[in-house]
Amino acid sequence: MSNFISLFDVLENQGSLTPIKDEILTLKLNVKKEMDKGLTPDEMKLAKEEEKALLAAENILEKL
């Protein structure tokens, strides 16, 4: 797992959003891998919620 980077820290320091986008991509890939392995119905429900949250994060970053 990587170090947490606050979006506010990045914006305050006028930094690049690339590390945050990379982290979201990594998280999405990890969720997909777990989904492909096969999950219980409850685990799949949680994985889909995680996937939705990551998609929302991507959409927010696109607007910045």
Side-chain angles (χ1 to χ4, degrees):
M1 187 149 203
S2 63
N3 294 331
F4 177 75
I5 302 168
S6 166
L7 179 57
F8 294 111
D9 291 338
V10 171
L11 294 176
E12 280 180 6
N13 297 320
Q14 310 239 332
S16 170
L17 295 177
T18 302
I20 297 172
K21 290 178 180 179
D22 291 346
E23 181 71 16
I24 291 172
L25 179 60
T26 300
L27 292 170
K28 283 179 62 177
L29 291 172
N30 289 341
V31 169
K32 286 286 188 190
K33 283 180 191 175
E34 290 301 313
M35 291 172 81
D36 289 345
K37 286 181 184 177
L39 301 172
T40 66
D42 287 339
E43 291 171 333
M44 185 62 79
K45 183 178 177 182
L46 178 61
K48 287 182 180 183
E49 290 298 320
E50 290 172 349
E51 196 173 40
K52 285 181 191 177
L54 291 167
L55 182 59
E58 279 183 326
N59 290 333
I60 290 168
L61 288 176
E62 287 177 14
K63 294 177 182 180
L64 295 177

